[in-house]
Amino acid sequence: MMALKQELLKPIWHAFISLDVDNSGQVSKSQLKVLSHNLCTLLNVPIDPVSLEEHFRDDSEGPVSNQGYMCYLNKFILDKVQGDFNKVEFYKMCWTLCAKKNLTKNKLCISEDDAFKIWTIFNYLSEDKYPLVIVPEEIEYLLKKLTEAMGGGWQQAVFEDYKIGLHDKQDGLSVWEFIELIGSGQFSKGMDNTTVSMAINEVFNELVLDILKQGYLWKKGHRRKNWTERWFVLKPNVLTYYVREDLKDKKGDIILDANCCVESLTDKDGKKCLFLVKCLEKTYEISASDKKKKQEWIQAIQTVVNLGRLGLPPPHKEARQKRKALRQKLLAEQKELEQKMKALQTANETKQQELEAVRKQLEEAAARAAAEEKKRLQTHDELQERYQLELQQEQLIRQQMEEQVAQKSSELEQYLKRVRELEDMYLQLQAALDDEKQARQDEETARLLQAQLLEEEAAKRAMLEKLHVEQEMAIKITEAEKKQLEDIRETKEKALEEAMRQLEQLEKERILALQQYQEVSKNLEIAAKKTRSWKDKVAHHEGLIRLIQPGSSNTGVITNWGPSTFTQGELQQREKMWQEKKNAIAE
């Protein structure tokens, strides 16, 4: 609610300051009456005739000043606004009141309608303080958007040159200076008026009317199931569609809340580039003209739904809030820096005062030092004369002392010579003592080493004797074991020879048995051939035919020797038992 009130106050402020004033600088009550009545009408606020007449009666009292009218405006108009009003009509009414006196048409290369849109954009981007101005950062932002909408390249160097001239206006540009800047064509050179107008309209739709995207799409009907082309307008929480782009004949709204989603569809019913907008109650089938527009619409609608779920404002409003927060942060840092600079300046001034006081003290000290220097020079002269006398006396004494020193020096040299001789003798004695001490230490070390070697030799000798005894015992044990092993080896060789003889005997018996088996097999084959030939002869000569006789239903098995004594079932049972025994042996 506060944001809406702040948004409405800016155009009303332009309208209010454009009203005629009398000699005392106050606005007539009749003009305020008309303004208030128009505001209530356009903002869909019920008019209270009693309060209107009460505040604007014909006496000399009443809210005719800016502060007095603001109280009435807030209490009886702005606090009652619900948001269900036509923004453009409201802006145009305020624009009409202020443009008559302030707009200079002959210097502009844009239409009055474009100037109105720039005026509205200024109100959106201007700072929330009065009188309203737009700062250089917002000017740069808008110029970049216009250049982007025109399809041109942003000329940063040109803007930097222009920005240097803005330093004279520290607060920024007023709305009329801003309109003159856009209308001068300084930042739209090479663009025709139609392109500039379309760019202004595109930025106006986005920043002022919150239109995130608009264009023609095909929509499938819910009842008749036919496809109709509509002009769609996407706003932060709703997708509205009209018959045409003049927005006069509205056909419906698609509320984009947290329950909505958008999905891509495959081509069908002769329509391409389809997508769905699913809401809680309805689902809308929509077709775009090409794949690029389809993807742009899907992305834009999904962005609006996601922003609604997260409770975030539209991208341009969020960007404006970030820019404003950044400016406030920079302003706070600048103020903090200014405070620090003031503190440093104060400290500098304090230091300057302290330095001035120190300089004065130094001048006084220099004067005192000059007086003391003069006094010191006088004293120095007196001391110099006294020093000359003392120097002469000192030279006499020095000559006497030098003679004494020469005598003492000769005596000292002889003494030092004797001392050096004693030192040499002492060093030789010390070296002899060190040699003797080292020799004794070497002798002691050799003696200890010899004792240690004797002990080790005794220990090794005892160990060798022990090993000799153990070796003799081991030799005796080894000889007994060797004899025993020799007996075992002879026994095993005899057993092996006996086994070899038995194996040779078995081999001979196996060969003999194999020969017998081959002879028996050969005789059996001959007998079988004879039997088959005799049976064939008998069957051929006698023509025997076996008659089916009554008997057991289980037919016996016929072998090459005649009928067997077991049936086919018994044969299978025996084969099964034989197979099980074979498997058991294999396992």
Side-chain angles (χ1 to χ4, degrees), residues 97-292:
L97 292 176
C98 63
K100 291 179 181 179
K101 292 185 177 181
N102 301 288
L103 186 64
T104 56
K105 301 179 183 178
N106 54 350
K107 296 182 180 180
L108 302 178
C109 60
I110 57 175
S111 64
E112 185 176 353
D113 183 59
D114 292 336
F116 159 69
K117 292 176 180 177
I118 294 172
W119 175 82
T120 311
I121 294 170
F122 170 89
N123 291 331
Y124 173 75
L125 295 177
S126 61
E127 299 298 294
D128 297 334
K129 59 182 180 179
Y130 298 89
L132 293 174
V133 292
I134 183 169
V135 296
E137 292 80 9
E138 296 296 330
I139 297 174
E140 183 179 2
Y141 167 75
L142 179 60
L143 291 175
K144 281 184 178 179
K145 286 194 74 69
L146 289 174
T147 304
E148 182 182 349
M150 289 186 290
W154 171 243
Q155 301 174 354
Q156 185 67 36
V158 177
F159 181 77
E160 292 296 334
D161 294 339
Y162 173 76
K163 194 174 179 181
I164 293 172
L166 289 179
H167 288 302
D168 298 335
K169 299 178 180 181
Q170 297 180 356
D171 295 335
L173 296 180
S174 66
V175 64
W176 310 112
E177 293 171 334
F178 183 62
I179 293 174
E180 185 177 352
L181 172 65
I182 304 297
S184 66
Q186 181 178 353
F187 292 94
S188 58
K189 291 181 180 179
M191 299 291 178
D192 54 31
N193 294 339
T194 304
T195 304
V196 175
S197 179
M198 290 175 64
I200 292 173
N201 184 63
E202 182 179 339
V203 177
F204 171 78
N205 288 337
E206 179 184 354
L207 299 183
V208 178
L209 300 183
D210 292 337
I211 296 177
L212 304 179
K213 190 172 181 59
Q214 58 183 348
Y216 279 109
L217 296 171
W218 289 84
K219 174 186 168 295
K220 186 176 182 180
H222 289 284
R223 295 180 181 177
R224 297 175 60 186
K225 306 298 181 182
N226 61 331
W227 290 89
T228 311
E229 190 176 30
R230 298 295 185 212
W231 179 262
F232 280 79
V233 177
L234 178 63
K235 291 188 176 182
N237 57 353
V238 65
L239 179 63
T240 308
Y241 50 97
Y242 302 84
V243 175
R244 288 176 297 278
E245 57 185 296
D246 56 9
L247 308 182
K248 291 183 179 180
D249 190 2
K250 179 179 176 180
K251 301 301 292 182
D253 290 325
I254 303 175
I255 305 301
L256 302 176
D257 54 14
N259 298 315
C260 290
C261 66
V262 58
E263 296 178 358
S264 177
L265 280 180
T266 57
D267 300 342
K268 65 176 184 178
D269 299 337
K271 287 292 179 182
K272 297 181 179 180
C273 305
L274 297 171
F275 62 93
L276 278 180
V277 179
K278 290 185 178 181
C279 298
L280 195 60
E281 297 180 354
K282 287 184 180 180
T283 299
Y284 300 85
E285 290 188 30
I286 301 173
S287 171
S289 59
D290 53 51
K291 292 182 178 180
K292 180 181 178 183

Side-chain angles (χ1 to χ4, degrees), residues 291-325:
K291 292 182 178 180
K292 180 181 178 183
K293 289 186 177 179
K294 170 187 173 181
Q295 191 60 34
E296 289 176 354
W297 274 101
I298 290 176
Q299 187 174 358
I301 295 171
Q302 190 61 54
T303 301
V304 169
V305 173
N306 292 337
L307 291 174
R309 288 174 182 169
L310 300 174
L312 298 176
H316 63 277
K317 290 188 176 180
E318 185 178 5
R320 180 172 177 265
Q321 292 174 1
K322 289 181 178 179
R323 294 195 306 272
K324 186 176 180 181

Side-chain angles (χ1 to χ4, degrees), residues 226 281 380 467-468 532:
N226 61 331
E281 297 180 354
H380 177 69
L467 289 173
H468 181 68
R532 282 196 299 272

Side-chain angles (χ1 to χ4, degrees), residues 469-485:
V469 172
E470 291 178 354
Q471 188 176 8
E472 289 180 352
M473 292 177 67
I475 289 170
K476 292 179 180 179
I477 295 171
T478 303
E479 289 178 353
E481 290 178 352
K482 184 177 179 181
K483 186 177 181 181
Q484 185 178 1
L485 289 172

